[in-house]
Each structure stands twice: as structure tokens, then as C-alpha cells.
Amino acid sequence: MKMLRSISRAGVLCVGILLGSCGGKNSNDIDSCGDIRQEYIVDNYTASLVRYDEPIDDLSIAKIPKLIANNENVAWNMFAIDLNANFQTYTVKHQPAVRFNLFAQALACSPYIHAKQALSKISITSANTFNDSYPAGSELASLFATLDYPSVNVSALADLGKPAPRWLKLKLLEAPQYSQQNFEVEISLNDGNVFILKTGDVYFTVP
């Protein structure tokens, strides 16, 4: 009887070791592909003015907007500034965590692309007066949010510690008082890079 109990305990121990070494990741792993990791560096941004066919809501992030034509009027709540990064992707090697593993993890090996830079600040201004409280040149970041984080205004976005974005769509949180606007978006990254994007004129249908 004692012999059977000893064998049973040994079997449980072996199963535990096998399960612990079979796939998955622990907090010390770099990624499931061992010491290989993909990173990207942003070297520029482009900005486009776009509109949606319906007022922007939580589902708009899955929809494809249309470019705003020259001199086209657009409703403020269907309008967005579409930011896209030009970036370089490269492979880096890290020291992997030492880990006993009996089984290959081929199906799990799809390395996540990490950002080398982090977002420090986004500033938005307009060459035209937005309303009586925001004359031309005023900081307007608090009047914008992104479709990814609709409850967070752009001025607070950098506080989230997010990586340098590969894309962002910025929407207005309130209607402008004056129709013609000409926005400038300044994106600052933690490596000292600053990108200044001018949108050109846009004309809003004001209430």
C-alpha cells in the first residue's frame, strides 16, 4: 500500500512538471519566440482630414472614413483628423529567461511588435479662432479625443504611457463657433523627436 502511495505521488509530481513546461508564458519571458523581438521606430507622421457618413460613436473605429474634398463642408461630429506614422521595423535580440520546456511552441511563436519610442505629448492648435474662449493659436488638445480612447481627451493621452502611435484618429468633442479652421498637430516622442503636421483649411457646418 505504501508502495502504491509513493508511485501515485511521483505521478502527480511528474504531471505537474510536464504541465509547467508545456507552452504558455510566465512573467519573466520576453515573448513566445525566445530571444527574438520586433520593434519599430517612427520617423514621420502624415495627417489627413476625413469624414464619416454618420456621427462618430464607439463603432466608428471599425468604419472606413472618406477624405474631405477641397471646400467641402463637414459636420463637426462626423469629422476626424487621421494620423498615420511612417515607421521602420527591425528585429532585436534579448536574453531569454531560462526555462525548462519539453515541447516546441511553434503555434505560439508570433512576436508582438514593440515601440521603441513613447508618446510624450500631443498639441493641437488652429490658425483660426475656434470660439470666443479659444482664439486663434490656443491649445485645443482638450477639445479632441481619439476613437481608440473616446473618453480621454488628447491633452491627457500622453499620461497613459502609451507607445508612439502608428495611427490615431482625432475627433472633436464640441462644435466650433466659427466655420473655417486650419489645424496644426504637434506630436512629441520621448526620444526628442517632434513632428508638426498642418491639415490645411476645413469648413464646418456650424450650429
Side-chain angles (χ1 to χ4, degrees):
M1 193 67 174
K2 291 183 178 179
M3 178 70 72
L4 289 175
R5 288 178 181 172
S6 297
I7 292 173
S8 176
R9 289 173 183 166
V12 171
L13 179 60
C14 289
V15 170
I17 292 173
L18 287 173
L19 290 176
S21 62
C22 180
K25 291 172 63 177
N26 63 31
S27 60
N28 295 321
D29 284 334
I30 295 298
D31 59 39
S32 58
C33 294
D35 61 348
I36 302 300
R37 188 168 80 174
Q38 296 287 315
E39 289 187 345
Y40 68 87
I41 292 182
V42 174
D43 54 35
N44 200 7
Y45 282 95
T46 59
S48 302
L49 299 176
V50 298
R51 66 171 176 82
Y52 291 81
D53 292 331
E54 298 175 339
I56 294 173
D57 57 23
D58 291 345
L59 300 178
S60 297
I61 192 169
K63 299 176 183 178
I64 299 175
K66 300 173 183 176
L67 290 173
I68 296 175
N70 289 336
N71 300 318
E72 177 185 0
N73 280 16
V74 60
W76 71 272
N77 58 352
M78 299 182 188
F79 163 82
I81 302 174
D82 191 358
L83 304 176
N84 286 279
N86 297 326
F87 59 92
Q88 305 296 324
T89 303
Y90 59 97
T91 301
V92 294
K93 298 193 72 175
H94 293 257
Q95 290 296 326
V98 177
R99 189 163 178 238
F100 178 61
N101 195 334
L102 296 180
F103 301 98
Q105 298 181 17
L107 293 178
C109 188
S110 55
Y112 176 75
I113 300 179
H114 300 258
K116 184 72 173 176
Q117 306 135 299
L119 179 65
S120 293
K121 182 181 180 182
I122 297 183
S123 173
I124 305 173
T125 58
S126 176
N128 302 81
T129 296
F130 189 85
N131 59 31
D132 292 342
S133 299
Y134 294 91
S138 299
E139 179 58 66
L140 303 176
S142 63
L143 303 183
F144 282 83
T146 77
L147 272 64
D148 300 271
Y149 304 98
S151 62
V152 179
N153 69 51
V154 168
S155 61
L157 192 60
D159 296 335
L160 298 179
K162 293 298 178 182
R166 285 184 284 173
W167 53 79
L168 278 178
K169 285 184 173 63
L170 310 180
K171 67 171 187 175
L172 277 167
L173 295 174
E174 65 178 74
Q177 185 177 349
Y178 301 97
S179 175
Q180 184 178 0
Q181 299 296 319
N182 190 311
F183 296 111
E184 179 178 292
V185 181
E186 183 176 302
I187 303 174
S188 301
L189 304 182
N190 68 337
D191 62 353
N193 272 306
V194 178
F195 306 99
I196 298 176
L197 312 170
K198 297 181 183 294
T199 66
D201 289 333
V202 58
Y203 297 90
F204 290 102
T205 302
V206 296

